[in-house]
Amino acid sequence: VKHVQEERQVCVEFPEATQVLIVGGGPCGLMLANELGRRGIEVVLIDQKATTAFNPQANATQARSMEHFRRLGFAHEIRSQGLPEDYPTDIAYFTRYTEHELVRVHLPSAKEATEIIKNMQGTWSAAELPHRVSQKFVEAVLHTHAAAQPSVSVNFGWALTAFTETETGIEAAIQNSRTGSTRKVSAQYLFGADGPRSFVRRQLGFFYEGDGGAERDFMGGKMLAMYLRAPAFYDVCQHPKSWMYWTFNNQRRALMAAVDGKGEFAFHTQLKPGEDASTISDSDAQTLFEQAMGCSIPIEILSRDTWLAGRALVADHFQRGRVFLGGDAVHLLTPTGGMGYNTAIEDAVNIGWKLAAVLTGQAPSALLETYEPERRPVAQRNTAFARRFADSIGLYRPTPAIESDGPAGDAARRRAGAYLGQHARAEFNIPGFTLGARYDGSTIIADDAAPIPPDAPTVYVPSGKPGGRAPHVWLADGRSLYDTFGFEWTLLRLGANPPAAEPYVAAAQALRLDLRIVDCADPEAHDLYESDLALIRPDQVVAWRNTDRSMLTPEAIFALVTGRLGHTSNGSMPVTEH
Ligand SMILES: Cc1cc2nc3c(=O)[nH]c(=O)nc-3n(C[C@H](O)[C@H](O)[C@H](O)COP(=O)(O)OP(=O)(O)OC[C@H]3O[C@@H](n4cnc5c(N)ncnc54)[C@H](O)[C@@H]3O)c2cc1C
């Protein structure tokens, strides 16, 4: 009777036909459900697990992801998750957690971050600072908001088992993970956000390319992950509280992120030759933890898993026909730099507005063909940056003297502290990594002749050149410029005497595009955009600006940025003076 009731419930909540079927309820799939749901697109999301992640997973939500959560209206909710608001997010390196502290990089608490960002400029010109929070908490918030959208049906406990593409859509077979019962779902598009072992990717015959297993002293090999509760840690560790604790010694290198600030931690150590995860008992695992601690304390192991560090892989394709892939299904990063889940979030943001525009008739399906050319190069860039960080920390080995008493030990620790300090400042201060990804060369970007800004993890150069994140400023009234943007398209009128908006409004209306006009007289914004008009895409990327070389008519601009022209502004197109 219970099963029949459950099936009936499923039939009520779970339509047989939908516009987009999302497979995978990790950050990528849940974010896409939010992007589409906010636009009224019908979505069925399935995930084979019973619920969102129990394990902490990723530890950092980068600034760009936080800006997207702000755009969706729940950044403040995310920032309230995880550590207490006044808990420092320092990164500290020790020989062992209860022994020598080698170096510490101070980072603000969640409460401080919301204030500090309002006075930051230049390379950290952003609406949000990063938030050091376990992915499990972010997933829960994404889930709540996706499920609250009337057009979205979120269904944990269902696995995709087969799919075929027809001329008009996708026919998918799904199976209840608990009862084994099966159902069919048809959709106009399928999005595979189904993680590293992606069924969708394998069905399409796509392959990861790149480095599948670099070997290093740390962050290059089989890792043991333990989610554990050890409140006594704060009693025995006499060093100031940190968000991330690293050990650097010859016996046990490890990293550990504070999860709730009360005693839950995500502990990761690399297994050494001869240590086999399948034969490690809980008591062995406790010993590994104690080696990092430098003493014994009571711990409760909440879960254990293994994972492979050292991968820098990107799939050869992100799309075929009506089937798209995003997140770990198409790119695997070593977690150094903390960009794996954040890259997955931006995949969802990129495809979200495009799918919605096509499904609502505002753009031709050609717009969807720009997803892979825009996102695949970013995935390659991000895997390469993450790999550099992994080399920097993983190939640097402790000397035997690091734990010695006396002057030789002191000198070894000073040297290690200096190296690890500069490494941490590079790995954990990454405005360029998170804010600097660009879509140069995309056919829906009206490029101009300005040089492409430098691309380095620690340096972000705000630029109004089309193809990059819209430069951000704080306005005189204290608002973020981003908070003035429309949810879809925005035309920024900049400076004291910008051109009239009417021709652009008319051109957007002719294509049924939702365009908000924002007048911004702020001189800093005018300087940053180097133009008096800038067209901002729904994903807050500059699509076009009014430079001398850009002589496109408003009609041609909107045709180009919605995929109707299929070539860049360098091609022959109607021109006008304005
Ligand atoms: C130890 C560790 C630390 C990390 N630290 C960071 C960090 O600090 N910062 C960062 O950005 N990233 C980090 N990452 C990476 C991050 O966790 C992943 O990049 C992120 O989870 C990818 O999200 P996703 O939605 O693409 O895939 P996943 O989170 O893997 O979600 C995929 C979902 O698909 C479901 N699924 C799979 N197959 C099917 C099917 N056939 N039918 C239905 N459902 C299916 C799965 O159940 C799963 O829920 C870390 C990863 C690890 C392992």
Side-chain angles (χ1 to χ4, degrees), residues 30 33-41 43 45 72 74 77 139-156:
L30 288 168
N34 274 286
E35 293 286 352
L36 294 173
R38 278 291 300 270
R39 296 177 165 100
I41 302 298
V43 173
L45 181 149
L72 290 165
F74 49 73
E77 234 175 289
E139 287 189 18
V141 175
L142 291 175
H143 183 194
T144 302
H145 285 276
Q149 299 297 333
S151 64
V152 175
S153 166
V154 179
N155 306 275
F156 277 81

Side-chain angles (χ1 to χ4, degrees), residues 532-564:
D532 49 18
L533 289 177
L535 179 63
I536 313 299
R537 305 194 326 187
D539 54 0
Q540 299 179 336
V541 167
V542 182
W544 165 85
R545 66 177 169 175
N546 189 28
T547 51
D548 290 345
R549 277 187 78 255
S550 176
M551 302 295 276
L552 301 174
T553 62
E555 291 73 22
I557 292 165
F558 284 105
L560 180 106
V561 299
T562 53
R564 285 176 169 82

Side-chain angles (χ1 to χ4, degrees), residues 429-451:
N429 179 21
I430 49 170
F433 201 159
T434 173
L435 307 176
R438 297 185 52 84
Y439 301 141
D440 296 303
S442 169
T443 54
I444 55 168
I445 295 294
D447 199 3
D448 64 24

Side-chain angles (χ1 to χ4, degrees), residues 164-230:
T164 52
E165 184 174 347
T166 67
E167 265 182 30
T168 53
I170 302 292
E171 298 296 331
I174 63 173
Q175 184 171 43
N176 189 291
S177 307
R178 203 169 57 77
T179 65
S181 67
T182 57
R183 286 181 54 123
K184 293 209 177 310
V185 180
S186 61
Q188 293 181 46
Y189 294 96
L190 171 66
F191 191 85
D194 50 346
R197 284 178 281 277
S198 171
F199 173 78
V200 178
R201 186 191 68 239
R202 284 181 284 126
Q203 287 298 109
L204 293 174
F206 296 167
F207 293 100
Y208 282 132
E209 295 172 344
D211 190 346
E215 289 185 14
R216 305 183 183 95
D217 195 48
F218 194 57
M219 283 292 179
K222 183 68 88 59
M223 306 286 292
L224 176 74
M226 273 199 285
Y227 179 23
L228 54 90
R229 190 172 288 136

Side-chain angles (χ1 to χ4, degrees), residues 266-313:
F267 175 82
H268 301 270
T269 187
Q270 184 161 324
L271 296 177
K272 291 175 179 294
E275 291 174 344
D276 177 359
S278 63
T279 59
I280 290 182
S281 65
D282 277 1
S283 130
D284 296 334
Q286 170 140 8
T287 304
L288 302 186
F289 175 73
E290 287 170 1
Q291 289 171 349
M293 279 299 294
C295 70
S296 171
I297 56 169
I299 66 168
E300 180 188 353
I301 298 176
L302 303 172
S303 68
R304 277 173 47 184
D305 208 349
T306 55
W307 58 282
L308 193 62
R311 294 188 290 195
L313 297 171

